[in-house]
Amino acid sequence: MRLASIHFFPVKSTAGHDVQEAEVHPWGLAGDRRYLVTDERGELITAREQPLLLSCVAELDGDALTLTRPHAAPLRVTPGTGRSTVTVWGTPVEVTDCGDDAAAWLSALLGRPARLHWLDDPTRRPVNPVYGRPEDRVSLADGYPLLLASATSLALLNEWVAQTGAEHGEEAPAPLPMSRFRPNVVVEGGAAFAEDEWKRVRIGGVDFRVTKGCDRCVMTTVDTATYRKGKEPIRTLSRHRKWDGKVWFGINLIPDAPGRIAVGDPVTVL
């Protein structure tokens, strides 16, 4: 197997970037999900309920961020100093507010009050102790430092999606892109869904622990070109990949130590 692609997402639930190589930190890829969007009460806003967030492109330049979207001129954001606490899937996290200009820009995009926050200290948030060690940390990703997906698994899922559509008398759908699942690393080679059984994996020279599979939500049903929700892949995953009351695609990883990975690196199950 080999590493087929690398992706990072500067602002949680916004557009991502494909890169040829990346630094792996204990809390995730360099630059990945260090920012998030909340409402005026400090409640997390994601593309699950606001798909237009996916149209926002965030470019990193050191500690500064530039937001781009056709609804307004690009905005350069420099994090401020005022801190507040937000809750990310049940975990309170202290973050830094990015100011009124960023709030106005995002509010105009979403049509509702919104604010941008920065996680200035990525060692602040622990992972779920059920699946991690006391020292494990994660940035503002849903739960774990990296998400891995398999191109072979996606190919089989697309076959299943086509079969499901045919059974319902639907036109053959375009294959679902990997971007629906927002992984950090995509591997190619090996059997479909073999990753379900992995416990440890090495990418290039970096070793990772596999914590658990990734349960998927309605965000995977949002078309990243139109920002509209559909039935897939949740409908088909519910037929083929449902257990414990959830549907599953991909696996969560925690790095054993910092390192660097690059597209083309060998991937070895340990």
Side-chain angles (χ1 to χ4, degrees), residues 27-94:
W27 50 85
L29 295 185
D32 187 51
R33 295 176 173 95
R34 291 287 296 278
Y35 292 79
L36 56 68
V37 180
T38 71
D39 63 17
E40 72 276 20
R41 300 183 305 276
E43 298 292 328
L44 179 64
I45 297 176
T46 74
R48 294 164 177 80
E49 66 273 10
Q50 293 287 333
L52 274 178
L53 267 179
L54 294 171
S55 69
C56 175
V57 178
E59 296 280 357
L60 286 172
D61 180 12
D63 286 339
L65 187 76
T66 299
L67 302 177
T68 304
R69 172 70 173 98
H71 85 288
L75 178 71
R76 185 173 173 83
V77 178
T78 302
T81 57
R83 288 182 177 175
S84 59
T85 299
V86 301
T87 300
V88 182
W89 308 127
T91 304
V93 186
E94 191 177 66

Side-chain angles (χ1 to χ4, degrees), residues 207-220:
D207 291 356
F208 299 87
R209 284 171 278 140
V210 179
T211 60
K212 59 184 287 294
C214 185
D215 52 293
R216 310 314 304 224
C217 68
V218 69
M219 189 166 165
T220 59

Side-chain angles (χ1 to χ4, degrees), residues 22-270:
E23 291 288 343
V24 178
H25 296 299
W27 50 85
L29 295 185
D32 187 51
R33 295 176 173 95
R34 291 287 296 278
Y35 292 79
L36 56 68
V37 180
T38 71
D39 63 17
E40 72 276 20
R41 300 183 305 276
E43 298 292 328
L44 179 64
I45 297 176
T46 74
R48 294 164 177 80
E49 66 273 10
Q50 293 287 333
L52 274 178
L53 267 179
L54 294 171
S55 69
C56 175
V57 178
E59 296 280 357
L60 286 172
D61 180 12
D63 286 339
L65 187 76
T66 299
L67 302 177
T68 304
R69 172 70 173 98
H71 85 288
L75 178 71
R76 185 173 173 83
V77 178
T78 302
T81 57
R83 288 182 177 175
S84 59
T85 299
V86 301
T87 300
V88 182
W89 308 127
T91 304
V93 186
E94 191 177 66
V95 292
T96 298
D97 188 272
C98 292
D100 291 341
D101 288 346
W105 195 96
L106 285 165
S107 297
L109 170 64
L110 301 180
R112 58 178 289 191
R115 298 198 71 85
L116 183 67
H117 303 272
W118 178 52
L119 179 62
D120 55 305
D121 181 359
T123 67
R124 190 173 287 147
R125 184 179 171 220
V127 304
N128 185 337
V130 175
Y131 298 100
R133 299 170 182 170
E135 68 272 17
D136 290 333
R137 293 294 181 268
V138 58
S139 59
L140 296 172
D142 279 358
Y144 302 93
L146 279 82
L147 174 64
L148 178 149
S150 159
T152 310
S153 299
L154 179 60
L156 179 56
L157 174 58
N158 275 315
E159 291 181 15
W160 290 341
V161 169
Q163 292 169 3
T164 301
E167 291 171 7
H168 286 82
E170 300 167 359
E171 293 185 9
L176 295 172
M178 187 62 84
S179 58
R180 288 285 190 102
F181 300 94
R182 299 173 68 81
N184 295 114
V185 290
V186 177
V187 301
E188 61 182 10
F193 297 108
E195 63 273 18
D196 290 346
E197 305 301 322
W198 297 354
K199 302 301 180 186
R200 296 177 62 82
V201 62
R202 177 175 297 150
I203 301 175
V206 184
D207 291 356
F208 299 87
R209 284 171 278 140
V210 179
T211 60
K212 59 184 287 294
C214 185
D215 52 293
R216 310 314 304 224
C217 68
V218 69
M219 189 166 165
T220 59
T221 69
V222 178
D223 187 315
T224 51
T226 65
Y227 315 118
R228 297 175 180 171
K229 293 179 181 178
K231 298 177 181 178
E232 297 294 359
I234 298 297
R235 178 176 66 172
T236 295
L237 285 173
S238 295
R239 296 181 63 179
H240 296 273
R241 301 275 303 166
K242 186 173 183 177
W243 55 84
D244 296 336
K246 301 174 182 178
V247 298
W248 305 84
F249 188 89
I251 55 175
N252 293 294
L253 306 179
I254 297 176
D256 279 343
R260 192 169 188 86
I261 57 175
V263 171
D265 278 348
V267 176
T268 306
V269 179
L270 303 177

